[in-house]
mmCIF file of all heavy atoms in Angstrom:
data_model
loop_
_atom_site.group_PDB
_atom_site.id
_atom_site.type_symbol
_atom_site.label_atom_id
_atom_site.label_comp_id
_atom_site.label_asym_id
_atom_site.label_seq_id
_atom_site.Cartn_x
_atom_site.Cartn_y
_atom_site.Cartn_z
ATOM 1 N N ARG A 285 -6.641 -18.738 11.880
ATOM 2 C CA ARG A 285 -5.731 -18.139 10.922
ATOM 3 C C ARG A 285 -4.762 -17.220 11.663
ATOM 4 O O ARG A 285 -5.169 -16.430 12.513
ATOM 5 C CB ARG A 285 -6.535 -17.360 9.880
ATOM 6 C CG ARG A 285 -5.737 -16.909 8.683
ATOM 7 C CD ARG A 285 -6.661 -16.399 7.574
ATOM 8 N NE ARG A 285 -7.528 -17.451 7.066
ATOM 9 C CZ ARG A 285 -8.390 -17.292 6.068
ATOM 10 N NH1 ARG A 285 -8.486 -16.111 5.458
ATOM 11 N NH2 ARG A 285 -9.153 -18.292 5.676
ATOM 12 N N GLU A 286 -3.481 -17.307 11.346
ATOM 13 C CA GLU A 286 -2.486 -16.514 12.046
ATOM 14 C C GLU A 286 -1.736 -15.579 11.106
ATOM 15 O O GLU A 286 -1.503 -15.886 9.939
ATOM 16 C CB GLU A 286 -1.489 -17.412 12.793
ATOM 17 C CG GLU A 286 -0.587 -18.239 11.898
ATOM 18 C CD GLU A 286 0.515 -18.951 12.659
ATOM 19 O OE1 GLU A 286 0.839 -18.527 13.792
ATOM 20 O OE2 GLU A 286 1.064 -19.938 12.131
ATOM 21 N N PHE A 287 -1.344 -14.464 11.660
ATOM 22 C CA PHE A 287 -0.594 -13.464 10.922
ATOM 23 C C PHE A 287 0.815 -13.947 10.631
ATOM 24 O O PHE A 287 1.469 -14.545 11.482
ATOM 25 C CB PHE A 287 -0.543 -12.164 11.733
ATOM 26 C CG PHE A 287 0.389 -11.128 11.184
ATOM 27 C CD1 PHE A 287 0.013 -10.327 10.118
ATOM 28 C CD2 PHE A 287 1.649 -10.954 11.729
ATOM 29 C CE1 PHE A 287 0.866 -9.365 9.607
ATOM 30 C CE2 PHE A 287 2.508 -9.993 11.226
ATOM 31 C CZ PHE A 287 2.119 -9.202 10.168
ATOM 32 N N VAL A 288 1.295 -13.677 9.419
ATOM 33 C CA VAL A 288 2.647 -14.045 9.018
ATOM 34 C C VAL A 288 3.502 -12.808 8.774
ATOM 35 O O VAL A 288 4.568 -12.651 9.360
ATOM 36 C CB VAL A 288 2.646 -14.931 7.762
ATOM 37 C CG1 VAL A 288 4.072 -15.212 7.305
ATOM 38 C CG2 VAL A 288 1.905 -16.232 8.023
ATOM 39 N N SER A 289 3.029 -11.927 7.897
ATOM 40 C CA SER A 289 3.812 -10.754 7.534
ATOM 41 C C SER A 289 2.924 -9.710 6.893
ATOM 42 O O SER A 289 1.850 -10.022 6.378
ATOM 43 C CB SER A 289 4.938 -11.157 6.571
ATOM 44 O OG SER A 289 5.764 -10.049 6.253
ATOM 45 N N ALA A 290 3.370 -8.466 6.917
ATOM 46 C CA ALA A 290 2.629 -7.379 6.295
ATOM 47 C C ALA A 290 3.584 -6.326 5.778
ATOM 48 O O ALA A 290 4.682 -6.133 6.321
ATOM 49 C CB ALA A 290 1.654 -6.746 7.287
ATOM 50 N N ILE A 291 3.157 -5.650 4.734
ATOM 51 C CA ILE A 291 3.906 -4.520 4.200
ATOM 52 C C ILE A 291 2.937 -3.392 3.924
ATOM 53 O O ILE A 291 1.930 -3.570 3.246
ATOM 54 C CB ILE A 291 4.706 -4.908 2.932
ATOM 55 C CG1 ILE A 291 5.530 -3.716 2.443
ATOM 56 C CG2 ILE A 291 3.797 -5.446 1.840
ATOM 57 C CD1 ILE A 291 6.578 -4.097 1.402
ATOM 58 N N ALA A 292 3.213 -2.236 4.492
ATOM 59 C CA ALA A 292 2.375 -1.065 4.293
ATOM 60 C C ALA A 292 2.666 -0.442 2.938
ATOM 61 O O ALA A 292 3.721 -0.683 2.334
ATOM 62 C CB ALA A 292 2.606 -0.050 5.405
ATOM 63 N N SER A 293 1.727 0.353 2.476
ATOM 64 C CA SER A 293 1.904 0.996 1.180
ATOM 65 C C SER A 293 3.151 1.868 1.146
ATOM 66 O O SER A 293 3.740 2.055 0.080
ATOM 67 C CB SER A 293 0.660 1.824 0.829
ATOM 68 O OG SER A 293 0.407 2.816 1.807
ATOM 69 N N GLY A 294 3.549 2.384 2.314
ATOM 70 C CA GLY A 294 4.749 3.187 2.407
ATOM 71 C C GLY A 294 6.040 2.395 2.462
ATOM 72 O O GLY A 294 7.128 2.976 2.417
ATOM 73 N N GLY A 295 5.936 1.078 2.595
ATOM 74 C CA GLY A 295 7.109 0.228 2.559
ATOM 75 C C GLY A 295 7.523 -0.412 3.874
ATOM 76 O O GLY A 295 8.393 -1.286 3.878
ATOM 77 N N THR A 296 6.927 -0.002 4.988
ATOM 78 C CA THR A 296 7.286 -0.593 6.273
ATOM 79 C C THR A 296 6.784 -2.031 6.353
ATOM 80 O O THR A 296 5.713 -2.352 5.836
ATOM 81 C CB THR A 296 6.726 0.218 7.443
ATOM 82 O OG1 THR A 296 5.301 0.328 7.310
ATOM 83 C CG2 THR A 296 7.335 1.607 7.465
ATOM 84 N N THR A 297 7.541 -2.887 6.997
ATOM 85 C CA THR A 297 7.209 -4.305 7.068
ATOM 86 C C THR A 297 7.086 -4.787 8.501
ATOM 87 O O THR A 297 7.676 -4.223 9.427
ATOM 88 C CB THR A 297 8.262 -5.153 6.347
ATOM 89 O OG1 THR A 297 9.547 -4.939 6.946
ATOM 90 C CG2 THR A 297 8.334 -4.781 4.874
ATOM 91 N N ARG A 298 6.318 -5.852 8.687
ATOM 92 C CA ARG A 298 6.167 -6.524 9.972
ATOM 93 C C ARG A 298 6.203 -8.016 9.747
ATOM 94 O O ARG A 298 5.760 -8.516 8.716
ATOM 95 C CB ARG A 298 4.837 -6.152 10.649
ATOM 96 C CG ARG A 298 4.723 -4.718 11.102
ATOM 97 C CD ARG A 298 3.460 -4.526 11.951
ATOM 98 N NE ARG A 298 2.248 -4.750 11.181
ATOM 99 C CZ ARG A 298 1.304 -5.633 11.502
ATOM 100 N NH1 ARG A 298 1.437 -6.379 12.591
ATOM 101 N NH2 ARG A 298 0.227 -5.754 10.749
ATOM 102 N N TYR A 299 6.723 -8.737 10.736
ATOM 103 C CA TYR A 299 6.805 -10.188 10.650
ATOM 104 C C TYR A 299 6.431 -10.827 11.970
ATOM 105 O O TYR A 299 6.729 -10.288 13.041
ATOM 106 C CB TYR A 299 8.216 -10.643 10.285
ATOM 107 C CG TYR A 299 8.700 -10.162 8.943
ATOM 108 C CD1 TYR A 299 9.422 -8.981 8.822
ATOM 109 C CD2 TYR A 299 8.430 -10.893 7.790
ATOM 110 C CE1 TYR A 299 9.862 -8.537 7.585
ATOM 111 C CE2 TYR A 299 8.870 -10.454 6.556
ATOM 112 C CZ TYR A 299 9.584 -9.282 6.457
ATOM 113 O OH TYR A 299 10.018 -8.840 5.227
ATOM 114 N N ALA A 300 5.785 -11.971 11.885
ATOM 115 C CA ALA A 300 5.578 -12.770 13.075
ATOM 116 C C ALA A 300 6.927 -13.265 13.576
ATOM 117 O O ALA A 300 7.845 -13.512 12.787
ATOM 118 C CB ALA A 300 4.660 -13.953 12.779
ATOM 119 N N ASP A 301 7.062 -13.395 14.889
ATOM 120 C CA ASP A 301 8.331 -13.842 15.456
ATOM 121 C C ASP A 301 8.777 -15.183 14.878
ATOM 122 O O ASP A 301 9.974 -15.436 14.715
ATOM 123 C CB ASP A 301 8.224 -13.952 16.977
ATOM 124 C CG ASP A 301 8.173 -12.604 17.659
ATOM 125 O OD1 ASP A 301 8.559 -11.595 17.034
ATOM 126 O OD2 ASP A 301 7.748 -12.554 18.826
ATOM 127 N N SER A 302 7.829 -16.031 14.558
ATOM 128 C CA SER A 302 8.141 -17.363 14.077
ATOM 129 C C SER A 302 8.798 -17.385 12.697
ATOM 130 O O SER A 302 9.393 -18.395 12.321
ATOM 131 C CB SER A 302 6.877 -18.227 14.049
ATOM 132 O OG SER A 302 5.893 -17.654 13.213
ATOM 133 N N VAL A 303 8.701 -16.283 11.951
ATOM 134 C CA VAL A 303 9.253 -16.262 10.598
ATOM 135 C C VAL A 303 10.330 -15.206 10.413
ATOM 136 O O VAL A 303 10.925 -15.126 9.330
ATOM 137 C CB VAL A 303 8.150 -16.058 9.537
ATOM 138 C CG1 VAL A 303 7.047 -17.094 9.703
ATOM 139 C CG2 VAL A 303 7.575 -14.649 9.607
ATOM 140 N N LYS A 304 10.610 -14.417 11.423
ATOM 141 C CA LYS A 304 11.632 -13.376 11.317
ATOM 142 C C LYS A 304 12.985 -13.975 10.953
ATOM 143 O O LYS A 304 13.396 -14.989 11.508
ATOM 144 C CB LYS A 304 11.753 -12.604 12.630
ATOM 145 C CG LYS A 304 10.632 -11.614 12.876
ATOM 146 C CD LYS A 304 10.847 -10.848 14.173
ATOM 147 C CE LYS A 304 9.739 -9.839 14.399
ATOM 148 N NZ LYS A 304 9.891 -9.132 15.691
ATOM 149 N N GLY A 305 13.640 -13.331 10.009
ATOM 150 C CA GLY A 305 14.934 -13.806 9.554
ATOM 151 C C GLY A 305 14.861 -14.856 8.476
ATOM 152 O O GLY A 305 15.884 -15.182 7.864
ATOM 153 N N ARG A 306 13.676 -15.393 8.224
ATOM 154 C CA ARG A 306 13.509 -16.442 7.219
ATOM 155 C C ARG A 306 12.620 -16.004 6.057
ATOM 156 O O ARG A 306 12.850 -16.418 4.927
ATOM 157 C CB ARG A 306 12.917 -17.704 7.846
ATOM 158 C CG ARG A 306 13.773 -18.303 8.948
ATOM 159 C CD ARG A 306 13.240 -19.659 9.387
ATOM 160 N NE ARG A 306 11.886 -19.557 9.954
ATOM 161 C CZ ARG A 306 10.824 -20.181 9.473
ATOM 162 N NH1 ARG A 306 10.944 -20.977 8.403
ATOM 163 N NH2 ARG A 306 9.643 -20.048 10.050
ATOM 164 N N PHE A 307 11.615 -15.194 6.342
ATOM 165 C CA PHE A 307 10.668 -14.743 5.323
ATOM 166 C C PHE A 307 10.902 -13.276 5.001
ATOM 167 O O PHE A 307 11.278 -12.486 5.874
ATOM 168 C CB PHE A 307 9.225 -14.906 5.805
ATOM 169 C CG PHE A 307 8.746 -16.321 5.939
ATOM 170 C CD1 PHE A 307 9.616 -17.401 5.849
ATOM 171 C CD2 PHE A 307 7.399 -16.574 6.157
ATOM 172 C CE1 PHE A 307 9.168 -18.703 5.979
ATOM 173 C CE2 PHE A 307 6.938 -17.869 6.288
ATOM 174 C CZ PHE A 307 7.819 -18.937 6.201
ATOM 175 N N THR A 308 10.635 -12.897 3.762
ATOM 176 C CA THR A 308 10.733 -11.518 3.327
ATOM 177 C C THR A 308 9.518 -11.165 2.479
ATOM 178 O O THR A 308 9.214 -11.861 1.509
ATOM 179 C CB THR A 308 12.009 -11.259 2.507
ATOM 180 O OG1 THR A 308 13.158 -11.618 3.274
ATOM 181 C CG2 THR A 308 12.104 -9.788 2.131
ATOM 182 N N ILE A 309 8.838 -10.097 2.847
ATOM 183 C CA ILE A 309 7.668 -9.658 2.102
ATOM 184 C C ILE A 309 8.043 -8.465 1.233
ATOM 185 O O ILE A 309 8.870 -7.640 1.615
ATOM 186 C CB ILE A 309 6.501 -9.299 3.052
ATOM 187 C CG1 ILE A 309 5.209 -9.063 2.261
ATOM 188 C CG2 ILE A 309 6.843 -8.088 3.913
ATOM 189 C CD1 ILE A 309 3.972 -8.930 3.144
ATOM 190 N N SER A 310 7.435 -8.377 0.066
ATOM 191 C CA SER A 310 7.669 -7.258 -0.827
ATOM 192 C C SER A 310 6.387 -6.931 -1.572
ATOM 193 O O SER A 310 5.453 -7.740 -1.628
ATOM 194 C CB SER A 310 8.805 -7.556 -1.810
ATOM 195 O OG SER A 310 8.495 -8.668 -2.626
ATOM 196 N N GLN A 311 6.351 -5.737 -2.141
ATOM 197 C CA GLN A 311 5.161 -5.283 -2.848
ATOM 198 C C GLN A 311 5.561 -4.539 -4.106
ATOM 199 O O GLN A 311 6.519 -3.764 -4.101
ATOM 200 C CB GLN A 311 4.320 -4.383 -1.941
ATOM 201 C CG GLN A 311 3.014 -3.901 -2.559
ATOM 202 C CD GLN A 311 2.221 -3.037 -1.602
ATOM 203 O OE1 GLN A 311 2.767 -2.478 -0.650
ATOM 204 N NE2 GLN A 311 0.923 -2.924 -1.836
ATOM 205 N N ASP A 312 4.823 -4.769 -5.170
ATOM 206 C CA ASP A 312 5.004 -4.056 -6.421
ATOM 207 C C ASP A 312 3.724 -3.290 -6.690
ATOM 208 O O ASP A 312 2.742 -3.854 -7.171
ATOM 209 C CB ASP A 312 5.318 -5.013 -7.566
ATOM 210 C CG ASP A 312 5.715 -4.296 -8.838
ATOM 211 O OD1 ASP A 312 5.314 -3.144 -9.036
ATOM 212 O OD2 ASP A 312 6.442 -4.906 -9.651
ATOM 213 N N ARG A 313 3.717 -2.016 -6.364
ATOM 214 C CA ARG A 313 2.525 -1.196 -6.521
ATOM 215 C C ARG A 313 2.083 -1.106 -7.979
ATOM 216 O O ARG A 313 0.889 -1.142 -8.272
ATOM 217 C CB ARG A 313 2.772 0.211 -5.972
ATOM 218 C CG ARG A 313 3.018 0.280 -4.467
ATOM 219 C CD ARG A 313 1.704 0.267 -3.710
ATOM 220 N NE ARG A 313 0.873 1.413 -4.058
ATOM 221 C CZ ARG A 313 1.023 2.636 -3.555
ATOM 222 N NH1 ARG A 313 1.960 2.874 -2.649
ATOM 223 N NH2 ARG A 313 0.220 3.613 -3.937
ATOM 224 N N ALA A 314 3.034 -0.978 -8.893
ATOM 225 C CA ALA A 314 2.702 -0.830 -10.296
ATOM 226 C C ALA A 314 1.985 -2.055 -10.845
ATOM 227 O O ALA A 314 1.104 -1.942 -11.700
ATOM 228 C CB ALA A 314 3.959 -0.545 -11.114
ATOM 229 N N LYS A 315 2.354 -3.222 -10.360
ATOM 230 C CA LYS A 315 1.751 -4.465 -10.837
ATOM 231 C C LYS A 315 0.623 -4.971 -9.943
ATOM 232 O O LYS A 315 0.052 -6.025 -10.212
ATOM 233 C CB LYS A 315 2.821 -5.548 -10.962
ATOM 234 C CG LYS A 315 3.900 -5.238 -11.981
ATOM 235 C CD LYS A 315 4.918 -6.367 -12.059
ATOM 236 C CE LYS A 315 5.990 -6.077 -13.091
ATOM 237 N NZ LYS A 315 7.000 -7.162 -13.166
ATOM 238 N N ASN A 316 0.320 -4.215 -8.873
ATOM 239 C CA ASN A 316 -0.707 -4.634 -7.917
ATOM 240 C C ASN A 316 -0.452 -6.047 -7.418
ATOM 241 O O ASN A 316 -1.358 -6.892 -7.391
ATOM 242 C CB ASN A 316 -2.099 -4.529 -8.537
ATOM 243 C CG ASN A 316 -2.515 -3.107 -8.799
ATOM 244 O OD1 ASN A 316 -2.298 -2.223 -7.968
ATOM 245 N ND2 ASN A 316 -3.121 -2.858 -9.947
ATOM 246 N N SER A 317 0.766 -6.292 -7.033
ATOM 247 C CA SER A 317 1.134 -7.620 -6.577
ATOM 248 C C SER A 317 1.997 -7.551 -5.326
ATOM 249 O O SER A 317 2.585 -6.521 -5.007
ATOM 250 C CB SER A 317 1.874 -8.384 -7.677
ATOM 251 O OG SER A 317 3.109 -7.761 -7.978
ATOM 252 N N ALA A 318 2.048 -8.665 -4.624
ATOM 253 C CA ALA A 318 2.884 -8.801 -3.443
ATOM 254 C C ALA A 318 3.489 -10.195 -3.446
ATOM 255 O O ALA A 318 2.931 -11.118 -4.032
ATOM 256 C CB ALA A 318 2.085 -8.567 -2.168
ATOM 257 N N SER A 319 4.611 -10.347 -2.790
ATOM 258 C CA SER A 319 5.259 -11.648 -2.736
ATOM 259 C C SER A 319 5.772 -11.932 -1.339
ATOM 260 O O SER A 319 5.958 -11.027 -0.531
ATOM 261 C CB SER A 319 6.401 -11.739 -3.748
ATOM 262 O OG SER A 319 7.442 -10.838 -3.415
ATOM 263 N N LEU A 320 5.981 -13.196 -1.074
ATOM 264 C CA LEU A 320 6.540 -13.642 0.198
ATOM 265 C C LEU A 320 7.619 -14.660 -0.108
ATOM 266 O O LEU A 320 7.319 -15.777 -0.539
ATOM 267 C CB LEU A 320 5.457 -14.253 1.088
ATOM 268 C CG LEU A 320 5.902 -14.669 2.488
ATOM 269 C CD1 LEU A 320 6.213 -13.431 3.334
ATOM 270 C CD2 LEU A 320 4.826 -15.511 3.172
ATOM 271 N N GLN A 321 8.861 -14.263 0.087
ATOM 272 C CA GLN A 321 9.986 -15.175 -0.082
ATOM 273 C C GLN A 321 10.191 -15.927 1.218
ATOM 274 O O GLN A 321 10.417 -15.318 2.261
ATOM 275 C CB GLN A 321 11.252 -14.403 -0.455
ATOM 276 C CG GLN A 321 12.497 -15.265 -0.618
ATOM 277 C CD GLN A 321 12.402 -16.218 -1.781
ATOM 278 O OE1 GLN A 321 11.976 -15.828 -2.866
ATOM 279 N NE2 GLN A 321 12.788 -17.466 -1.558
ATOM 280 N N MET A 322 10.118 -17.241 1.153
ATOM 281 C CA MET A 322 10.217 -18.079 2.335
ATOM 282 C C MET A 322 11.462 -18.958 2.224
ATOM 283 O O MET A 322 11.554 -19.810 1.341
ATOM 284 C CB MET A 322 8.971 -18.948 2.497
ATOM 285 C CG MET A 322 7.668 -18.152 2.506
ATOM 286 S SD MET A 322 6.220 -19.183 2.846
ATOM 287 C CE MET A 322 6.248 -20.235 1.385
ATOM 288 N N ASN A 323 12.399 -18.732 3.121
ATOM 289 C CA ASN A 323 13.635 -19.499 3.158
ATOM 290 C C ASN A 323 13.709 -20.311 4.449
ATOM 291 O O ASN A 323 13.001 -20.033 5.411
ATOM 292 C CB ASN A 323 14.850 -18.576 3.062
ATOM 293 C CG ASN A 323 14.910 -17.800 1.773
ATOM 294 O OD1 ASN A 323 14.517 -18.289 0.722
ATOM 295 N ND2 ASN A 323 15.435 -16.577 1.846
ATOM 296 N N SER A 324 14.592 -21.293 4.457
ATOM 297 C CA SER A 324 14.796 -22.137 5.633
ATOM 298 C C SER A 324 13.476 -22.655 6.184
ATOM 299 O O SER A 324 13.206 -22.584 7.385
ATOM 300 C CB SER A 324 15.554 -21.356 6.716
ATOM 301 O OG SER A 324 16.804 -20.900 6.236
ATOM 302 N N LEU A 325 12.663 -23.190 5.310
ATOM 303 C CA LEU A 325 11.333 -23.637 5.697
ATOM 304 C C LEU A 325 11.386 -24.791 6.686
ATOM 305 O O LEU A 325 12.269 -25.645 6.617
ATOM 306 C CB LEU A 325 10.533 -24.034 4.467
ATOM 307 C CG LEU A 325 10.001 -22.853 3.648
ATOM 308 C CD1 LEU A 325 9.601 -23.305 2.256
ATOM 309 C CD2 LEU A 325 8.814 -22.212 4.364
ATOM 310 N N LYS A 326 10.422 -24.792 7.592
ATOM 311 C CA LYS A 326 10.300 -25.806 8.623
ATOM 312 C C LYS A 326 8.965 -26.522 8.481
ATOM 313 O O LYS A 326 8.021 -25.962 7.941
ATOM 314 C CB LYS A 326 10.380 -25.165 10.014
ATOM 315 C CG LYS A 326 11.621 -24.339 10.267
ATOM 316 C CD LYS A 326 11.531 -23.639 11.620
ATOM 317 C CE LYS A 326 12.756 -22.792 11.890
ATOM 318 N NZ LYS A 326 12.656 -22.091 13.202
ATOM 319 N N PRO A 327 8.862 -27.752 8.977
ATOM 320 C CA PRO A 327 7.582 -28.459 8.913
ATOM 321 C C PRO A 327 6.430 -27.670 9.534
ATOM 322 O O PRO A 327 5.298 -27.763 9.054
ATOM 323 C CB PRO A 327 7.851 -29.751 9.698
ATOM 324 C CG PRO A 327 9.304 -29.994 9.483
ATOM 325 C CD PRO A 327 9.932 -28.627 9.499
ATOM 326 N N GLU A 328 6.706 -26.897 10.574
ATOM 327 C CA GLU A 328 5.664 -26.106 11.204
ATOM 328 C C GLU A 328 5.182 -24.935 10.352
ATOM 329 O O GLU A 328 4.213 -24.262 10.703
ATOM 330 C CB GLU A 328 6.111 -25.589 12.583
ATOM 331 C CG GLU A 328 7.491 -24.978 12.601
ATOM 332 C CD GLU A 328 8.564 -25.950 13.043
ATOM 333 O OE1 GLU A 328 8.601 -27.079 12.521
ATOM 334 O OE2 GLU A 328 9.373 -25.579 13.927
ATOM 335 N N ASP A 329 5.849 -24.683 9.225
ATOM 336 C CA ASP A 329 5.379 -23.684 8.278
ATOM 337 C C ASP A 329 4.279 -24.231 7.376
ATOM 338 O O ASP A 329 3.674 -23.471 6.615
ATOM 339 C CB ASP A 329 6.526 -23.176 7.406
ATOM 340 C CG ASP A 329 7.573 -22.404 8.185
ATOM 341 O OD1 ASP A 329 7.197 -21.607 9.071
ATOM 342 O OD2 ASP A 329 8.773 -22.591 7.903
ATOM 343 N N THR A 330 4.043 -25.519 7.429
ATOM 344 C CA THR A 330 3.008 -26.141 6.611
ATOM 345 C C THR A 330 1.649 -25.542 6.929
ATOM 346 O O THR A 330 1.223 -25.532 8.083
ATOM 347 C CB THR A 330 2.971 -27.654 6.837
ATOM 348 O OG1 THR A 330 4.204 -28.230 6.399
ATOM 349 C CG2 THR A 330 1.825 -28.293 6.069
#
């Protein structure tokens, strides 16, 4: 299993080099949810 992205409770984000510029992580504290927007998807993202 490999790391893709993370968002700290304070809002700071991290991304694997392979997805930088293509993926965006976000968090909704009130709804206890998180999302990952994935753009420009590649077969290796499977």
Side-chain angles (χ1 to χ4, degrees):
R285 191 168 297 183
E286 67 171 339
F287 170 80
V288 176
S289 183
I291 183 167
S293 59
T296 57
T297 59
R298 293 189 295 124
Y299 298 93
D301 288 342
S302 59
V303 306
K304 284 182 179 177
R306 300 188 298 120
F307 291 10
T308 303
I309 189 171
S310 61
Q311 183 179 21
D312 189 334
R313 295 278 299 280
K315 297 181 179 179
N316 292 317
S317 65
S319 65
L320 184 69
Q321 178 66 45
M322 306 185 295
N323 298 325
S324 302
L325 284 163
K326 304 174 181 179
E328 47 264 49
D329 294 319
T330 296

